Amino acid sequence: MLYYWKKAIVDNYVNFSGRASRSEYWCFVLLNFIISMVFYIITFVLASNGVSDGLTVVQVLSWLVSLALFLPGLGVSVRRLHDIGKSGWWLFIILIPCCIGLIWLVILMCKGSEMNENEYGPVPED
């Protein structure tokens, strides 16, 4: 799991070309979720205990980490869409209101890879 996260962060920081396997995408998403939850729990504990200085530091650190992970997240999402034969512009489907776009995007991200080489490159190694 850490291999895929490192691959998205270090090897493909702002790479929007090529393909990303389903496991690469979902491992990246899972680790980002875990990181977010750790920051949320620390913030909750500090806020419950009335520690305002530490709370501010943790909130700023959380914001910086989120900002640093935005571009790799965007890149791995575009590469995941490439893996199923869709353009990266399909990410804008999330703008459809009432969670319809979000549900549609999740379904797309769960689809299996195209088993042959497509216009975005060869099948990714898993």
Side-chain angles (χ1 to χ4, degrees), residues 36-106:
S36 297
M37 286 297 103
V38 167
F39 278 114
Y40 175 77
I41 291 168
I42 292 170
T43 302
F44 180 77
V45 168
L46 290 175
S48 299
N49 294 328
V51 181
S52 60
D53 292 340
L55 180 64
T56 304
V57 170
V58 170
Q59 288 173 331
V60 168
L61 186 60
S62 172
W63 184 79
L64 290 173
V65 168
S66 297
L67 188 62
L69 292 176
F70 175 73
L71 287 177
L74 195 60
V76 77
S77 298
V78 168
R79 290 193 320 274
R80 177 70 196 124
L81 287 170
H82 287 173
D83 191 43
I84 60 171
K86 305 278 186 210
S87 166
W89 293 104
W90 274 84
L91 277 178
F92 286 111
I93 202 166
I94 202 165
L95 298 175
I96 296 175
C98 300
C99 295
I100 295 169
L102 176 63
I103 292 168
W104 195 347
L105 186 62
V106 169

